Amino acid sequence: MQGRKILNGGTTMKPAILFFTLFLFLPASPLWAMEPEAGVIKNITGNATIGRGEQTLPAAEGVKIHTKDILETSAKGSMGIIFRDDSTLSMGPETRIVIDDFMFSPGTGKLSFVTKISKGTAAYLSGKIGKLSPGATRVETPLAVLGIRGTRFLVEVE
Amino acid sequence: MMGKNLSTVCCAVAMIWLLSATGCAKKNTFVLLPDPNGNVGEITVATDKGTQVVNRAEYSVQVSSAEDPPGKPEKMDRETIEEKFGMALAADPGLPAIFNLYFKSGTDQLTTDSDKLVPDILAAISQRKSQDISVVGHTDRVGAEDLNLRLSRNRAVSIKNLLISRGVDPNIIFVDAHGESNPLVPTEDEVAEPQNRRVDVTVR
């Protein structure tokens, strides 16, 4: 009886179609990781975490970084990340950085790399985004905004 | 009596204000370094009140307050750099390994030279224990932009399939197409440039 209803009833078909259409556009990753991938953690010492939405995940080698992730190292922690555009970022201890925006899609003209560092130390090497679109790379600190025309620099927020 | 109380309160308030003011006065420091090839770029430090440009290696700018312009660039000695940034610099992830692959004209078949690079790619993946590989297609600027975007994607997909056939985990391969927008050798439109007709495999 229920099967018939689904087959015949136009109103009950619609949610099913909607469901499957949505399913087609879902990325092959869990729901909490809807933000696009931006890079990967290559090396880590001590403890570090990734804040993603409501969750706090342990950082580890090989773990992907997504846009909007909040990266945090502990008192003796440090880690290095390689981004999709060949930019690299290495964080010293007690450092907190948000990957505010990362878009590397030259084919559609979308290029942007914005990070916010609220405490600690970091070494940056800007990659293809900076090369293809000078001005698309920006680092924000509590007191200033850093514009980058290449390529390697250090930031400390006391 | 009242006057004494008032001055005590005033003194306490002033002390709290001073403490919190010094507590807020956290410096932000920026230092420019040469890149791995020895080239020195340029950074611009801006607050609401002013801007400083740094274009010399190991020069730094300090900002003490968002209400002030950034300080003038000053040379930072290596000991201070090491003391402040040693841990961050030691966590350098290094550069990814990048392989440029070329195709026989009008096909999705690799040239003989590029075909020889495939074992090197596989070696780099296992050596680095890579969990993140990009396979990105590119074209030169001959032909329509949208067609080039599609062509570059087809070639990238063929390389992805090649890597999977050699045992690479499909879940760690990220395929993208940049069409004619990310050339190795920048050219005018409609210029044939074989070096730009490529698929880049980046192993992180």
Side-chain angles (χ1 to χ4, degrees), chain A residues 95-148:
Chain A
T95 300
R96 187 177 194 272
I97 294 179
V98 182
I99 312 301
D100 214 35
D101 196 17
F102 183 90
M103 289 192 290
F104 180 46
S105 182
T108 58
K110 288 179 187 155
L111 297 164
S112 172
F113 191 10
V114 181
T115 53
K116 281 183 184 154
I117 169 167
S118 50
K119 63 170 182 171
T121 53
Y124 287 82
L125 179 67
S126 70
K128 290 260 175 63
I129 292 172
K131 206 169 154 191
L132 291 169
S133 175
T137 309
R138 196 168 76 233
V139 176
E140 299 177 8
T141 71
L143 300 180
V145 176
L146 190 67
I148 297 126

Side-chain angles (χ1 to χ4, degrees), chain B residues 30-73:
Chain B
F30 307 89
V31 190
L32 184 64
L33 292 182
D35 74 12
N37 298 319
N39 299 320
V40 179
E42 185 181 290
I43 55 174
T44 306
V45 183
T47 69
D48 286 344
K49 296 288 155 39
T51 299
Q52 281 288 352
V53 175
V54 189
N55 51 22
R56 288 206 274 174
E58 293 169 4
Y59 271 68
S60 68
V61 159
Q62 281 191 348
V63 178
S64 308
S65 156
E67 307 305 314
D68 291 322
K72 288 208 161 57

